[in-house]
Amino acid sequence: MPLIDPRTGVMQHNKEKATPGYTLFTPLGLYNTYLIDMDGEVVHQWDLPNDVGNYAYLLENGNLLAAIRTEDENPRLPANGGHLIEYDWDGNIVWEHVDHLQHHDFRRKPNGNTIYAAWKKQTDPDIMKSIPGGMEGEEHEGAIFTDVIREIDPAGNIVWEWDVVKDMDMSEFPIDPSVHRHEYAHANTVAPCPNGDVIVNWRYNNTMVMIDYETKKIKWSLNDISYGQHHDVQMLDNGNILFFANGADVHIHGPETGSQVVEVDPKTNEEVWVYQGSPRRSFISWFISGCQRLENGNTLICEGLWGRLFEVTPEKEIVWEYVSPFFVEYEHPAYTGNNIIFRCYRYASDSPQIQGRLP
Amino acid sequence: MLYENDGVSIYDKNKASAGYTLFWTLGTKTVRLMNMDGNIAHEWEMSGLPGNYAYLLPNGNLMAAVRTDEQVLGLAAKGGHLVEMDWDGNIVWEHTNHLQHHDFRRLENGNSVYLHWELMPEELAAKVPGGIPGSEHEQGIWGDVVREIDPDGNTVWEWHSATDIEDFSKYPICPIEGRHEWAHANSICPVPGGDYLISFRQNHLIARIDRETKKFSWEMCDWKLGHQHDVQMLENGNILVYANGAHGPYHGPNEGSRIFEIDPSTNETVWEYVGSPAHTFDSPFISGCQPMPNGNVLICEGRSGRLFEVTRDGETVWNFNSPIVADHAPYTPGRSIFRSYRYTAESPEIAGRLGDPS
């Protein structure tokens, strides 16, 4: 913690075992995306016009795709974006799209389209009544915001849309009983799979699903409250699913609670790899956060709440660890005093995202 | 990740309230009394594990609850054997009730009060609202008894949650907690005049029990308490409580534990301590708080075994991360501490036994 241990930057680096590359992250509450080398030095940065909603990442053409918060139609819900922007290496805008209710996640697909999550404000009493679970009476200013997954072509035309109210049986996945009813159900991940199917993850009902792109039906799901909500669900090259299990709202109270990074086999939903802190309380972020499987089999983890990015081997040895020195030192509505990070990404120097731009 | 620098890492001699700090790490058999530099000044070797803490009496003796091996129900914080030990570790008083748990206090008149479990009658257990459906204990639902005994162990007053609370529907168990207990009392604190303050974790309830009528003369039932601990009354009549911050409906950047001082006439918070930033102070279970003579508050952030003292302005003026690691399940390899207490060198608990604590 900053008070007791004010160290920031690279805390440890095992050069033989860590995966060399550049790490990209955008501190929440600050208006910059940073690309750092393995020593923690900033080698490139992009200045952003407002808060991110909620991150940025590099495309294979080396451009940065980011979501920036707009103030229009601001529903005052966490992680609202609204303005998707593609910047070139020098910060020039080369593409943009405005959808004020866009939030959390967005991805460029190989065909050039872009897919993202957006809210839909529901005030129809019948629809609100059909939304299951959560704390009674705890709607958001008389409304519930439900999720739509939207795919647009480069010109911004909607080419595919999936609406949780119309396309899913919500009764199968009620909001957790201790959570409010502001949203059904706070999607925080939209991750296209290689075959075009789409993984969506919701936090408030502890549910992740794979949507068949053609039929819009759910072809796989995982719903287990013991993970304590999750983020950054993704399919690995081996077909398994990797995600960050936050460990919030766990039923047990004891010294051995915390976050986990979990790899499951979707055929059985059995865990094939789990990373936990040792002791467990040394690794905990009850919201945001992410994970990335690296080429050599290591995993880069973003412990978002603490602004801590670290890489572990399959044997769970920490081989690189960095604490963000970028604290919000002004009055911010949500993040004052924090160095919080939603997600981070590592790119090798010979990756298409970096190649030729940095040594 | 919370980086822990073992031992005393902050000590502002001008602002801290100097004294000796007593703690009993969960999963160990040694009670430790240390000075402001973290050096151990005195120890008591106990016959068993804590159930759940120990504290010093004004006569300098140690009052403790030790876990017994009888009537183990699998519920948290079981004690069973209340012992008073002199400075040299000789037992001078004891009382056994295998279902005793969490809290116990010596009263000014020499009596003792403690919490223990009792199985709720089936017809009353059926009326317990909330919790995870079907998650009852194998024997049913365990209610709480507050039992006051004289020095010979005779009961002089008792209170039963199952029969003395009339309207169960006002106090549902948190929807993501089990129904093993209704509702996991973890504090029993005498207040002047003979009433008691009680804290129930599973339904975010703190209340004052009127000694005569056995009804709640004051209560606060609010998820903002976040499965709270260590409720107590300050000299000004306000209520001090450790609000753990567990199981709230929001999970964002401004969460963690909090210390609340509550005015019971309005239930408004008149003072609050929160970490800076909030998540740097967080223990979802156990933990405690103690007002210091100079107005500061000593806080036990139980899960990580961190004891620290803050001023009313929120400045940390003393910080200790316990290096004592539990060697017994289920707490190993943790460093958790249920509560801590600080006593000045001039206090009746310490005077004449130890010198300058700084």
Side-chain angles (χ1 to χ4, degrees):
Chain A
M1 65 186 302
L3 178 68
I4 304 304
D5 188 334
R7 288 180 299 162
T8 58
V10 174
M11 312 291 275
Q12 48 181 316
H13 184 193
N14 180 332
K15 290 185 178 165
E16 284 171 14
K17 294 184 178 175
T19 314
Y22 296 95
T23 307
L24 185 91
F25 61 96
T26 308
L28 293 180
L30 300 177
Y31 297 179
N32 296 103
T33 295
Y34 295 105
L35 188 62
I36 61 169
D37 64 18
M38 296 298 284
D39 296 324
E41 295 297 323
V42 175
V43 295
H44 200 71
Q45 72 181 67
W46 288 262
D47 297 334
L48 307 174
N50 200 352
D51 277 329
V52 282
N54 238 19
Y55 78 115
Y57 78 103
L58 285 176
L59 302 175
E60 295 203 347
N61 61 6
N63 289 350
L64 185 79
L65 193 61
I68 303 299
R69 195 180 71 205
T70 60
E71 303 302 341
D72 302 20
E73 301 175 44
N74 185 341
R76 292 185 301 284
L77 291 167
N80 59 305
H83 191 187
L84 296 174
I85 307 179
E86 181 180 341
Y87 293 99
D88 70 13
W89 188 258
D90 299 317
N92 302 303
I93 295 179
V94 298
W95 178 85
E96 60 188 316
H97 176 75
V98 174
D99 182 340
H100 292 300
L101 292 181
Q102 177 269 330
H103 66 92
H104 283 94
D105 212 356
F106 50 90
R107 307 291 173 103
R108 177 65 45 82
K109 293 181 67 168
N111 65 1
N113 289 349
T114 305
I115 189 166
Y116 61 88
W119 285 301
K120 200 168 189 176
K121 185 176 182 176
Q122 307 286 2
T123 53
D124 181 309
D126 290 337
I127 291 179
M128 290 175 71
K129 209 173 147 193
S130 74
I131 292 170
M135 294 170 80
E136 210 176 319
E138 293 288 327
E139 285 78 21
H140 184 63
E141 297 166 0
I144 299 177
F145 287 76
T146 60
D147 285 312
V148 175
I149 310 303
R150 203 165 272 155
E151 181 177 332
I152 55 170
D153 67 18
N157 303 304
I158 296 172
V159 298
W160 185 87
E161 193 170 77
W162 185 90
D163 184 326
V164 70
V165 174
K166 294 178 190 155
D167 294 316
M168 190 172 86
D169 179 3
M170 295 186 288
S171 67
E172 267 192 68
F173 306 112
I175 299 171
D176 292 349
S178 66
V179 176
H180 55 70
R181 285 167 55 82
H182 294 184
E183 296 171 69
Y184 186 86
H186 196 92
N188 58 31
T189 305
V190 177
C193 299
N195 70 352
D197 292 343
V198 183
I199 289 175
V200 176
N201 178 61
W202 289 281
R203 191 170 128 193
Y204 293 157
N205 56 2
N206 273 293
T207 300
M208 59 184 84
V209 301
M210 189 183 299
I211 300 165
D212 185 297
Y213 190 79
E214 299 303 325
T215 66
K216 296 191 181 176
K217 301 264 186 274
I218 288 173
K219 57 198 287 193
W220 170 82
S221 67
L222 177 66
N223 169 250
D224 183 347
I225 198 171
S226 69
Y227 285 124
Q229 309 183 346
H230 15 74
H231 283 80
D232 205 6
V233 181
Q234 56 202 276
M235 182 179 276
L236 300 176
D237 290 343
N238 64 8
N240 287 346
I241 306 292
L242 187 75
F243 60 94
F244 190 103
N246 293 80
D249 274 350
V250 286
H251 294 181
I252 53 162
H253 296 270
E256 293 301 300
T257 54
S259 298
Q260 308 176 85
V261 175
V262 180
E263 179 181 345
V264 296
D265 178 344
K267 292 192 285 292
T268 59
N269 283 357
E270 284 189 8
E271 295 174 349
V272 297
W273 186 80
V274 177
Y275 176 81
Q276 302 179 335
S278 178
R280 285 202 62 186
R281 65 189 151 79
S282 69
F283 170 47
I284 181 150
S285 178
W286 53 70
F287 81 128
I288 58 172
S289 307
C291 45
Q292 180 193 7
R293 181 59 50 81
L294 302 175
E295 275 182 28
N296 63 358
N298 289 354
T299 304
L300 182 69
I301 299 172
C302 172
E303 188 189 10
L305 186 58
W306 296 88
R308 175 176 173 243
L309 317 178
F310 64 107
E311 179 182 344
V312 301
T313 65
E315 294 76 34
K316 296 155 199 175
E317 181 187 353
I318 296 176
V319 293
W320 184 82
E321 182 183 18
Y322 172 83
V323 176
S324 169
F326 301 105
F327 286 85
V328 178
E329 288 170 345
Y330 66 97
E331 281 300 316
H332 184 280
Y335 301 122
T336 305
N338 283 293
N339 60 345
I340 284 173
I341 297 169
F342 182 66
R343 278 186 202 159
C344 68
Y345 288 92
R346 167 85 45 87
Y347 304 101
S349 58
D350 58 358
S351 65
Q353 290 87 352
I354 298 293
Q355 198 173 34
R357 295 176 190 88
L358 290 167
Chain B
M1 161 167 201
L2 183 121
Y3 286 96
E4 293 161 343
N5 291 2
D6 289 351
V8 174
S9 52
I10 294 174
Y11 180 19
D12 182 333
K13 292 189 179 182
N14 294 321
K15 293 183 179 173
S17 183
Y20 292 93
T21 307
L22 186 90
F23 65 98
W24 188 0
T25 303
L26 293 177
T28 70
K29 293 183 177 177
T30 308
V31 178
R32 293 172 168 89
L33 185 64
M34 68 178 177
N35 70 10
M36 295 299 283
D37 295 320
N39 296 317
I40 300 301
H42 200 72
E43 288 182 350
W44 287 262
E45 286 305 320
M46 310 303 288
S47 61
L49 297 168
N52 242 18
Y53 78 113
Y55 77 103
L56 286 175
L57 300 175
N59 63 5
N61 288 349
L62 186 77
M63 180 89 165
V66 179
R67 198 174 77 194
T68 60
D69 294 330
E70 287 80 9
Q71 293 189 261
V72 175
L73 302 169
L75 302 177
K78 175 188 150 50
H81 190 201
L82 296 176
V83 291
E84 178 183 343
M85 296 167 103
D86 69 15
W87 190 257
D88 300 316
N90 303 302
I91 293 180
V92 299
W93 177 87
E94 61 189 314
H95 177 77
T96 298
N97 179 336
H98 294 300
L99 294 178
Q100 177 268 328
H101 66 91
H102 284 94
D103 211 356
F104 51 90
R105 308 290 172 105
R106 174 63 47 79
L107 305 177
E108 282 182 13
N109 64 4
N111 289 348
S112 299
V113 65
Y114 63 90
L115 297 168
H116 72 83
W117 290 297
E118 69 175 355
L119 200 56
M120 293 180 75
E122 264 180 48
E123 67 276 17
L124 292 178
K127 292 184 186 170
V128 169
I132 301 166
S135 62
E136 286 79 6
H137 186 265
E138 57 188 12
Q139 295 181 51
I141 298 180
W142 293 87
D144 288 305
V145 179
V146 180
R147 187 170 298 283
E148 187 178 319
I149 56 170
D150 67 17
D152 296 325
N154 303 305
T155 296
V156 296
W157 186 87
E158 62 195 286
W159 182 91
H160 300 257
S161 64
T163 49
D164 286 316
I165 296 178
E166 285 169 355
D167 186 359
F168 287 19
S169 68
K170 287 167 73 179
Y171 315 113
I173 298 173
C174 167
I176 56 171
E177 288 284 347
R179 288 170 55 83
H180 320 101
E181 294 172 76
W182 189 66
H184 195 101
N186 58 29
S187 298
I188 189 68
C189 183
V191 296
D195 290 354
Y196 288 106
L197 284 174
I198 191 164
S199 162
F200 294 97
R201 191 178 90 182
Q202 307 293 64
N203 49 10
H204 312 290
L205 171 64
I206 51 180
R208 178 173 179 155
I209 302 171
D210 184 286
R211 186 179 187 84
E212 301 306 322
T213 66
K214 297 191 177 176
K215 304 263 186 283
F216 292 156
S217 61
W218 169 83
E219 66 183 68
M220 182 170 171
C221 186
D222 191 330
W223 62 260
K224 289 183 182 113
L225 294 169
H227 296 305
Q228 77 289 334
H229 284 77
D230 205 7
V231 65
Q232 58 201 278
M233 184 175 283
L234 300 176
E235 284 179 7
N236 64 6
N238 287 345
I239 308 295
L240 193 72
V241 63
Y242 187 105
N244 292 75
H247 291 184
Y250 304 93
H251 296 288
N254 293 312
E255 283 173 85
S257 297
R258 280 166 162 75
I259 309 295
F260 288 134
E261 181 181 340
I262 296 160
D263 178 346
S265 66
T266 60
N267 283 6
E268 299 276 322
T269 299
V270 296
W271 178 80
E272 167 180 23
Y273 174 78
V274 55
S276 176
H279 65 264
T280 58
F281 169 46
D282 179 46
S283 177
F285 80 125
I286 57 173
S287 308
C289 45
Q290 180 196 8
M292 296 285 99
N294 65 358
N296 292 350
V297 178
L298 182 70
I299 299 172
C300 172
E301 187 186 12
R303 177 172 62 176
S304 57
R306 174 183 174 228
L307 313 179
F308 65 110
E309 180 183 344
V310 299
T311 67
R312 287 294 176 140
D313 298 328
E315 183 185 355
T316 302
V317 293
W318 183 83
N319 187 90
F320 170 78
N321 282 83
S322 171
I324 310 297
V325 178
D327 44 20
H328 289 77
Y331 295 106
T332 183
R335 303 173 177 200
S336 297
I337 298 170
F338 182 67
R339 281 186 203 157
S340 63
Y341 287 91
R342 177 164 304 157
Y343 306 97
T344 65
E346 306 77 34
S347 65
E349 289 86 354
I350 298 293
R353 296 178 188 87
L354 294 168
D356 181 1
S358 57

